[in-house]
Amino acid sequence: MPLTSSASADLTVLDAVERPEPGEWTQTCTAEEIAAQLPLAGEKPYPLAVKANIAVRGLRRSAGCALLDIAPEEADAPVVALLRRSGAVVVGMANMHELAFGITSRNTSYGAVRLPAQPGHSAGGSSGGSAAVVARGHAEVALGTDTGGSISIPASLCGVAGFRPSTGRWPTAGIVGLSWTRDTTGIFARSVRRLAEIDQTVVGGTPEPDLPRPRIGVPAELLRDLHATTRAAIEPALAALAGTVELVPVDLGDVWELSHAAAMPIVCWEARRLLGDVAARALGLNAEQAFARLVAEVRSPDVRQILKAEVASPVSPDQYAVAQRQTDQARACYAELLHKHALDALAFPATPAPAPPVDCDGSVEHLGSRVDAFELYTRNTTPGAMLGAPMVTFPLATPGLPVGLTVQGGRFDDRRTLRLAERMAETLSGTDGQTGG
């Protein structure tokens, strides 16, 4: 049911508002709340879902945590305000993995976010609700956040397009985040072209021109140990792309080692401080007291385990300093890798496997063994997140569960990365870049 800018009393609203899917939202707007936004839209209105850790005026920013689900926000986060100027009308707060600390969006307080077409499977996370409502058609675009793959993973598992901008390129004020080194806001849509339009709304500028024959690196580390469904989608896609881009086999080497070594020390040190500050403001306590209460009252077992581990054995200042140096070294090695091979971007499967079962309890069956689900699904996205690089994910043709291809560019080379991804999506779909869900 489309949005309309009519001021009549019979204003129609989205199915998401009238009949919200269980588990996909933490809060939805009423028809009256949507109608009140419409006169503010300067262009043709479009429905926007916002991940529950991003501030929206008048809605509750719970971050998927019942303890923080206290009061409406007084002001929009800057990224929400920017999208409103292009016609965005917020229809609700999308569910997520509690505190963004996970990849399944199996939320104890608000329900599990399920893959819309196959509800026995997870929509991924932590921005699972945002990807799911776009896949279902209940929002045209949806805001998410990404610390270690939280946009790329659910985009891939839900069969939609997702864009993780370079860290620092989009505003992050007004979010409940985990890492100032790794966090960024980002977006989901039905096509890469729409992602590029939204990016232009947020940061301005002009579209990137086409390159005559782009050179795309294919990292060996990110093609190893793929699920049969993923391999069956990735290999023909790469073969088809070889006609329009030059594919260059590469090894990530030190980029891989350094980024994975630094990942958890960085996020544990920074998350403790960021979450402590957010909880302190919400609960009227000092940061240490507030973090302790958060640890005690967080409801998702996997998130509680991570937070308790940080309390029991906190990352030391020396360990954090080492991780900071490793992050800087990884970024320098990545820039050198792109330069050495004259690469415009990398391309690889967003995840080594398609969507896990919705009741995934921390481990998952993969290639005949039980493996840690978090480590499996963040394996390919952790390096890019640590590098602060732009990552565009779009769905590939597959008869079964969705599989996404990620195009990762140089840091702050977002426009070129979006254009390359759009061109590659067009080549693989044989259309104008519109993707299915």
Side-chain angles (χ1 to χ4, degrees):
M1 300 173 66
L3 284 170
T4 172
S5 57
S6 168
S8 64
D10 62 349
L11 176 72
T12 58
V13 296
L14 289 174
D15 285 344
V17 174
E18 295 183 328
R19 295 181 293 276
E21 188 69 22
E24 289 184 358
W25 304 89
T26 62
Q27 183 182 4
T28 55
C29 295
T30 65
E32 291 75 18
E33 288 169 334
I34 289 177
Q37 298 178 63
L38 290 174
L40 302 178
E43 301 183 12
K44 182 179 178 181
Y46 63 90
L48 171 73
V50 179
K51 187 177 179 180
N53 64 338
I54 303 174
V56 177
R57 184 177 183 180
L59 300 182
R60 299 187 305 278
R61 186 189 61 172
S62 66
C65 179
L67 181 66
L68 302 180
D69 198 345
I70 296 175
E73 294 294 312
E74 295 180 346
D76 287 336
V79 70
V80 174
L82 286 168
L83 293 187
R84 286 195 195 275
R85 286 166 41 190
S86 72
V89 175
V90 177
V91 295
M93 305 296 283
N95 195 11
M96 56 184 283
H97 207 104
E98 189 167 7
L99 299 177
F101 247 137
I103 52 85
T104 65
S105 297
R106 187 183 181 191
N107 191 300
T108 301
S109 298
Y110 302 96
V113 186
R114 299 170 181 268
L115 182 60
Q118 301 192 51
H121 292 268
S122 167
S126 66
S127 308
S130 297
V133 298
V134 170
R136 194 178 294 280
H138 283 177
E140 181 181 325
V141 296
L143 278 169
T145 63
D146 190 302
T147 305
S150 290
I151 287 177
S152 306
I153 294 166
S156 178
L157 302 192
C158 288
V160 298
F163 174 46
R164 181 208 195 280
S166 295
T167 301
R169 189 167 175 273
W170 280 30
T172 55
I175 75 167
V176 178
L178 296 177
S179 169
W180 52 80
T181 298
R182 299 170 58 173
D183 282 343
T184 181
T185 50
I187 201 81
F188 299 91
R190 300 285 292 186
S191 71
V192 179
R193 179 172 299 176
R194 188 69 175 120
L195 299 178
E197 292 170 353
I198 295 295
D199 180 68
Q200 191 166 354
T201 294
V202 175
V203 299
T206 57
E208 183 79 12
D210 272 335
L211 294 169
R213 185 170 172 80
R215 285 174 58 85
I216 306 297
V218 183
E221 294 91 338
L222 308 188
L223 293 180
R224 293 175 184 158
D225 301 326
L226 300 181
H227 187 282
T229 298
T230 304
R231 187 171 297 281
I234 290 294
E235 290 181 346
L238 293 176
L241 287 170
T244 56
V245 304
E246 185 175 354
L247 298 177
V248 182
V250 296
D251 291 303
L252 294 179
D254 287 344
V255 175
W256 174 269
E257 298 296 336
L258 290 164
S259 59
H260 278 279
M264 286 309 292
I266 287 285
V267 78
C268 287
W269 172 279
E270 296 176 357
R272 181 168 188 162
R273 287 148 181 82
L274 290 172
L275 294 177
D277 287 346
V278 167
R281 289 194 297 272
L283 303 174
L285 302 171
N286 67 44
E288 282 300 312
Q289 292 171 331
F291 187 74
R293 185 170 170 191
L294 192 65
V295 174
E297 297 192 31
V298 71
R299 295 183 179 178
S300 299
D302 58 333
V303 180
R304 188 185 312 115
Q305 181 180 358
I306 294 171
L307 298 182
K308 283 187 173 181
E310 167 58 18
V311 171
S313 181
V315 174
S316 71
D318 287 344
Q319 290 171 323
Y320 181 57
V322 169
Q324 288 177 308
R325 289 195 296 271
Q326 289 171 326
T327 302
D328 288 342
Q329 290 167 355
R331 292 177 176 181
C333 289
Y334 181 57
E336 175 59 26
L337 175 74
L338 296 180
H339 175 74
K340 176 182 177 181
H341 296 282
L343 299 177
D344 297 294
L346 306 181
F348 51 86
T351 61
V358 73
D359 59 356
C360 174
D361 62 357
S363 65
V364 67
E365 185 79 17
H366 182 65
L367 303 183
S369 301
R370 298 297 297 183
V371 300
D372 182 271
F374 184 85
E375 292 184 3
L376 176 68
Y377 284 93
T378 61
R379 187 194 78 180
N380 286 10
T381 56
T382 290
M386 291 299 297
L387 298 168
M391 302 166 76
V392 183
T393 301
F394 59 88
L396 301 176
T398 175
L401 291 169
V403 174
L405 182 72
T406 293
V407 180
Q408 177 181 304
R411 194 175 179 206
F412 297 117
D413 200 6
D414 297 52
R415 285 289 162 80
R416 177 180 294 188
T417 307
L418 282 161
R419 183 63 192 120
L420 288 171
E422 182 179 357
R423 178 174 171 181
M424 292 161 74
E426 290 171 356
T427 298
L428 294 174
S429 66
T431 67
D432 62 356
Q434 299 293 319
T435 59

